[in-house]
Amino acid sequence: MRNAKSSPQHLSTTVPPDEVVLLDEDGTPAGSADRTSIHTADTPLHLAFSTYLFNARGEVLLTRRALGKRTWPGVWTNSCCGHPRPGEDIEDAARRRIREELGLRVGPLTPLLPDFRYRAVDASGVVENEICPVFGAVVIDDGVQADPEEVAEYVWAPWDAVCAAVAATPQVYSPWSALQIPLIVERHPYPGAPVTDHSSPDPAAAFHDVEVLLAAEVAGLEERWRAHVADAGLDVLPADLPRWLGDLLLGGGKRIRVTMTYWGFIALGGVHGAVGYHRMIRAAAALEILHLFALIHDDVMDRSRSRRGRPSAHADATDWHLSATAGGSSELFGNNMAILLGDLAHAVADHLIGDLPTGFRELWHDLSVELIAGQRADLTGSAAGRRDRGHAEHVARTKSGRYTVTRPLQLGAIAAGAPVDALTDFGDHLGQAFALRDDQLGVWGDPEVTGKPAGDDLLEAKPTVLLSLAHDRLTGAEAELLRRVGGPDFGSDDVSRLAEAMRRVGIAEEVEGLISDEVEAAFRCLDDLELAPEGVAGLREAAQRIAWRSS
């Protein structure tokens, strides 16, 4: 919980007349009167509004009324209440009070209880007697700047927890919020959803929602981080880890895992705006952060100097150390900082999943362990010079295909309330196609397009399907070249020679055929399932883009 602090934005040299709109019993406007003078033991019926504000994490803002308030001082209540002035549109009035009391700006207002009416008596005997439409809204920036004359404290809290608390102890809350919240629960499965026509799928809206949630999570991380670093200062690094993480995370990447989570959700009957949709968005955002963790650590292990067309995290940190003429090994410092940054990414991803129901958390644990097991098999397979096809396919599945395609589909299934394995066969085939394309781009991709050097997989002797095929096909001097892969006498010139030899014996062409076969097998899986047609179309289009991507 946070206390309100005074802010210059709440100071004004002119105060407009504080009048309210009086109403007849049927709700018809019947003149106006001074707000303070009419609030007595016989308060006439008048017009008001209540609002419930939600952040990108799905939390609702609760406020505690200032102790100086004439009625219900110190009581916890909804986000913001107020009265429209005569002639003022009620939504404009709500936005005005939200800005004045909380320093927040909101998107579209959602009518939650347009006909809400109540009468309540304060301990002092003052009566509230209002027709009070109730609105919900989502804020992108949830940095509250509360007016201390109105708000003593505030807290962002999970909506489900607030509903349970009000049901258990309604007397702790304002009488209007204690009446409103149960009615909202009855009528709106997720009151923070903006008013949007989602009768047809809208992946762009889902991507936006994920991006907003990621930005909110980074902002929250920075605030939490400051509490822990205190006055320790920042040495060597140009920005601290949360800012660095946000720079790598926001506005970049292909968001393949978001795509698969979304279309899995839609294909299995998921609906925009329902509770499951917001859980799906949270899971998809967590996957994006987990992916960043995997990339950062993978680059350290592979000694890759670039990623997405920019220096990799450990390369940046190494350069910062050199520029600062700091003590110790610059390379070791770079590796250590990147590992720490990856660890932080994993912690943030776990935090996003931690508020979701058990099914999500269990699957998340499996996919995290599976990803690390796949990375271990990749490292040990490289060290042992493994060239067998079975091991290569195992690495491709556990390190790449499953957490990129299959597991996101499964998270989407859980969010939609469908069996977790409904799309698993489809995902495994498409995941294998994804991994094969990844391997193909690692050997023959254009660095200007992929954003990373070509041939790194050959230099590191990665146990890929491509090298397995090369082991079966190459003979003579070219087989000897393959034998030296990963050794100290295998250099960058040898990479291009081996890549050309592999192309010459038909491996590039065969890989394209394997990718086509996996995509066709994936599509056959869809034919056997009862799925939403729009979701099937989305999955098919996504599969085409994934399998034949150029980066």
Side-chain angles (χ1 to χ4, degrees):
M1 299 178 188
R2 299 176 190 170
N3 294 325
K5 298 179 181 179
S6 60
S7 170
Q9 71 178 18
H10 302 301
L11 302 179
S12 175
T13 56
T14 60
V15 180
D18 194 6
E19 292 194 333
V20 299
V21 177
L22 302 178
L23 301 173
D24 289 336
E25 279 300 308
D26 63 359
T28 303
S32 62
D34 177 71
R35 178 183 63 84
T36 304
S37 65
I38 67 163
H39 280 81
T40 64
D42 191 26
T43 304
L45 184 66
H46 58 282
L47 184 61
F49 58 82
S50 289
T51 61
Y52 290 79
L53 306 183
F54 295 81
N55 62 21
R57 296 184 293 277
E59 298 167 327
V60 66
L61 178 64
L62 295 184
T63 59
R64 183 168 173 249
R65 289 168 65 83
L67 296 177
K69 298 287 285 184
R70 182 182 175 195
T71 56
W72 289 279
V75 171
W76 283 96
T77 188
N78 57 295
S79 307
C80 183
C81 295
H83 304 86
R85 295 166 179 160
E88 184 180 27
D89 178 80
I90 194 166
E91 291 196 13
D92 289 343
R95 293 178 187 280
R96 171 177 57 79
R97 288 306 294 160
I98 291 167
R99 188 169 59 252
E100 291 170 351
E101 288 191 14
L102 303 170
L104 295 173
R105 296 180 184 274
V106 298
L109 293 175
T110 303
L112 300 178
L113 303 173
D115 54 354
F116 180 75
R117 176 174 177 170
Y118 78 103
R119 186 179 186 277
V121 183
D122 179 61
S124 66
V126 175
V127 170
E128 274 291 11
N129 185 18
E130 298 177 338
I131 290 179
C132 181
V134 180
F135 299 94
V138 175
V139 299
I140 293 178
D141 179 4
D142 59 5
V144 176
Q145 299 180 56
D147 180 353
E149 294 186 3
E150 299 288 341
V151 178
E153 295 178 84
Y154 64 90
V155 63
W156 290 98
W159 173 246
D160 291 346
V162 170
C163 296
V166 169
T169 56
Q171 68 277 8
V172 174
Y173 299 88
S174 68
W176 56 91
S177 63
L179 293 169
Q180 290 165 356
I181 288 174
L183 293 174
I184 295 171
V185 171
E186 284 182 16
R187 301 185 193 183
H188 302 275
Y190 184 81
V195 179
T196 309
D197 178 11
H198 286 303
S199 55
S200 58
D202 191 352
F207 292 168
H208 173 265
D209 290 344
V210 167
E211 203 70 23
V212 168
L213 180 53
L214 291 173
E217 199 66 18
V218 169
L221 174 65
E222 288 185 328
E223 185 170 342
R224 187 183 299 254
W225 183 269
R226 284 194 294 271
H228 292 299
V229 298
D231 299 324
L234 179 64
D235 301 313
V236 181
L237 301 176
D240 218 335
L241 268 62
R243 183 68 55 84
W244 188 12
L245 183 68
D247 182 47
L248 295 174
L249 178 65
L250 301 176
K254 296 180 283 294
R255 302 294 192 235
I256 291 175
R257 291 145 201 88
V258 176
T259 300
M260 301 316 300
T261 310
Y262 176 77
W263 286 120
F265 174 76
I266 295 296
L268 291 165
V271 177
H272 274 264
V275 171
Y277 173 80
H278 296 276
R279 290 171 175 169
M280 180 273 295
I281 291 297
R282 197 169 183 87
L287 281 168
E288 282 301 304
I289 302 176
L290 184 73
H291 179 49
L292 180 59
F293 146 79
L295 294 182
I296 293 169
H297 280 199
D298 197 52
D299 286 343
V300 173
M301 289 182 270
D302 292 348
R303 296 177 293 176
S304 180
R305 293 282 302 175
S306 63
R307 171 71 66 175
R308 293 175 175 171
R310 58 172 290 170
S312 54
H314 71 94
D316 262 341
T318 298
D319 291 342
W320 294 333
H321 187 277
L322 287 168
S323 298
T325 60
S329 164
S330 296
E331 182 178 356
L332 180 60
F333 176 84
N335 289 345
N336 289 344
M337 292 308 304
I339 291 169
L340 201 59
L341 183 67
D343 290 343
L344 183 62
H346 204 316
V348 176
D350 286 345
H351 174 255
L352 274 171
I353 290 293
D355 289 337
L356 293 177
T358 301
F360 289 93
R361 299 198 304 271
E362 289 294 331
L363 180 58
W364 182 260
H365 183 64
D366 280 346
L367 78 86
S368 297
V369 172
E370 180 180 59
L371 172 59
I372 294 170
Q375 184 67 67
R376 193 279 294 162
D378 183 34
L379 293 171
T380 57
S382 296
R386 295 284 292 267
R387 298 289 180 266
D388 51 300
R389 180 77 169 267
H391 181 76
E393 290 178 344
H394 168 76
V395 170
R397 180 171 57 255
T398 54
K399 181 193 171 186
S400 183
R402 286 218 125 195
Y403 100 95
T404 299
V405 180
T406 307
R407 297 305 195 181
L409 289 169
Q410 291 176 342
L411 287 167
I414 296 174
V420 67
D421 60 350
L423 291 168
T424 295
D425 290 343
F426 167 81
D428 281 347
H429 284 295
L430 183 57
Q432 195 67 17
F434 170 87
L436 285 166
R437 177 60 64 198
D438 227 25
D439 292 345
Q440 185 268 345
L441 292 172
V443 175
W444 295 295
D446 181 355
E448 294 295 322
V449 178
T450 63
K452 56 187 292 188
D456 275 5
D457 286 356
L458 298 180
L459 277 173
E460 298 296 325
K462 294 291 184 181
T464 63
V465 171
L466 275 68
L467 280 188
S468 175
L469 294 173
H471 180 265
D472 294 339
R473 297 277 188 88
L474 297 179
T475 60
E478 292 170 344
E480 174 59 23
L481 182 63
L482 177 63
R483 188 192 63 78
R484 293 194 286 109
V485 166
D489 57 344
F490 186 84
S492 56
D493 291 340
D494 295 319
V495 168
S496 57
R497 289 174 53 210
L498 180 57
E500 179 55 35
M502 292 167 65
R503 187 189 293 278
R504 192 166 52 249
V505 297
I507 292 174
E509 184 178 353
E510 182 171 354
V511 168
E512 295 297 333
L514 291 173
I515 292 172
S516 296
D517 290 345
E518 293 291 352
V519 172
E520 290 175 9
F523 286 168
R524 286 195 296 272
C525 293
L526 295 179
D527 295 337
D528 297 334
L529 299 170
E530 293 185 8
L531 302 170
E534 301 91 343
V536 171
L539 289 173
R540 284 178 171 270
E541 181 184 357
Q544 297 279 354
R545 286 190 281 109
I546 286 171
W548 283 283
R549 70 192 190 279
S550 58
S551 64

